[in-house]
Amino acid sequence: MRYFSIIGLLFIFACNKEKKEILAKNTTSKIANEIVLKTDTLKLSFDKDLEEDDFILIKLLEKNFTNDGIEESKFKFDFYRNGKLENNFSVNVNFLIDESDWHGNTLFNFSEKHEYSPYIIITNGYPACGYTQTNFLIDVRKENIQLIDTFYSVGDGGWFTSTTFEEISNSKLGARHENYWQEEDDNDEMGTLTFSDSVNYILENKNWIKKYITPKDSIYKKQKISFDVMHKIQ
C-alpha cells in the first residue's frame, strides 16, 4: 500500500510566496455564452506519453458574497490531454482572496500499480502560513476524469490540519483527517494529535462513492505528542 499526506504540500505551498505552476492569466472573456471572469492555466502531467500537452484551464465563472461578507466563487476545470478537451466540471471555493494561487500535485506517483498516478490534487489558497487551502482530489484517468472529493487544509509553523491518503486498489482509496494543534492544557513543547473522518472512496459503475468508516466529524483517536517527536515521525 502507498500513503500520501497533504501535510507535505502545506509546507511547500502554504508557507511559500514563490510562484507555482500557473502559466498564464487572462482577463474577462466570453466563450460559447459562458461568462469567464478570469482564466488560469495549470500545467500538469497526466501520463508519460502526453505530458507536454496536458494542462487544465481553471475558469472563474461567478463571485458572490454571503451575508457575513465571505466570498464564495464558482470555477470550472477544463481538462486537456494532448491539446484536446477531454472533460470538465465545476467546483466552489470559499474564502477566496485576490492573491490566492492555484497549484497541483499527484498522489502515489511511480507506485507499483501505476507508472503515472491516476490521481491529482488541485489546491487553491493564499501561499502563506495560517491560510486555509481548498483541495480538490481528482481522478484523471482518460476514461473517467471526475472530482472525487473536496477537503481543506492549513499549516502554520509545524501545526496543521490535513488529510492522509492510502491507495488500497485501483478502484479504492482510504483517507483520514488529522489535526495537530495545541490545546489549553498543552505546554510550549506539546501538542494534541487527533484523527477523525476515516473514509473509503470506492469507484462503482464509473462513479466515486464516499463511505464513512468512522462517524462523520467525530474524533476516534487522540494523543499528546511533543512537537519534536511529531516532526521526526513526519
Side-chain angles (χ1 to χ4, degrees):
M1 297 180 181
R2 296 296 295 265
Y3 298 86
F4 181 94
S5 175
I6 198 66
I7 297 172
L9 297 183
L10 290 173
F11 298 144
I12 294 172
F13 296 116
C15 300
N16 191 323
K17 283 258 186 183
E18 295 180 358
K19 287 294 181 182
K20 310 305 182 303
E21 297 176 84
I22 297 175
L23 301 185
K25 292 186 177 182
N26 301 323
T27 55
T28 303
S29 61
K30 187 173 182 179
I31 303 174
N33 298 320
E34 180 182 78
I35 302 292
V36 179
L37 304 179
K38 187 176 73 170
T39 301
D40 293 323
T41 304
L42 181 62
K43 178 71 177 179
L44 206 63
S45 300
F46 298 148
D47 63 54
K48 182 178 180 180
D49 295 330
L50 304 177
E51 60 183 10
E52 293 301 320
D53 296 309
D54 294 347
F55 60 92
I56 304 165
L57 292 184
I58 302 176
K59 301 175 181 177
L60 174 60
L61 303 182
E62 297 178 10
K63 293 177 69 174
N64 300 300
F65 291 88
T66 67
N67 293 333
D68 298 327
I70 297 173
E71 182 172 326
E72 297 180 329
S73 302
K74 180 180 180 180
F75 291 84
K76 189 172 80 169
F77 293 166
D78 286 346
F79 291 81
Y80 285 82
R81 194 192 307 263
N82 198 23
K84 297 180 180 180
L85 178 64
E86 286 206 334
N87 201 0
N88 55 54
F89 54 77
S90 297
V91 300
N92 294 317
V93 175
N94 298 331
F95 312 110
L96 186 75
I97 58 178
D98 290 340
E99 295 84 3
S100 293
D101 277 351
W102 289 98
H103 50 262
N105 212 324
T106 55
L107 282 175
F108 319 120
N109 213 13
F110 305 109
S111 74
E112 64 276 6
K113 299 184 181 70
H114 320 283
E115 185 172 7
Y116 263 54
S117 174
Y119 311 108
I120 64 172
I121 292 177
I122 296 177
T123 298
N124 177 271
Y126 184 72
C129 293
Y131 286 85
T132 298
Q133 310 290 303
T134 304
N135 307 282
F136 303 98
L137 174 61
I138 300 167
D139 183 343
V140 292
R141 282 174 284 194
K142 185 172 183 179
E143 70 281 2
N144 201 52
I145 296 176
Q146 63 178 286
L147 178 67
I148 300 175
D149 202 5
T150 303
F151 60 99
Y152 301 94
S153 55
V154 63
D156 192 355
W159 310 100
F160 60 83
T161 294
S162 181
T163 300
T164 298
F165 295 91
E166 170 192 0
E167 184 175 31
I168 300 171
S169 71
N170 287 339
S171 59
K172 187 175 183 179
L173 300 174
R176 68 182 182 187
H177 191 68
E178 300 179 3
N179 281 283
Y180 182 60
W181 299 94
Q182 285 187 306
E183 295 188 342
E184 290 184 3
D185 59 343
D186 291 329
N187 62 37
D188 291 341
E189 298 178 354
M190 295 298 293
T192 301
L193 176 64
T194 62
F195 300 90
S196 63
D197 296 277
S198 180
V199 302
N200 281 334
Y201 299 102
I202 303 170
L203 185 61
E204 296 180 350
N205 299 318
K206 296 186 177 181
N207 292 304
W208 283 95
I209 307 299
K210 182 177 182 179
K211 296 185 177 180
Y212 280 88
I213 300 172
T214 61
K216 184 178 180 181
D217 298 326
S218 296
I219 294 172
Y220 65 86
K221 184 179 179 181
K222 181 176 182 178
Q223 65 185 94
K224 301 289 186 180
I225 184 169
S226 73
F227 188 91
D228 289 342
V229 171
M230 180 68 203
H231 291 288
K232 285 181 181 178
I233 294 174
Q234 296 301 326

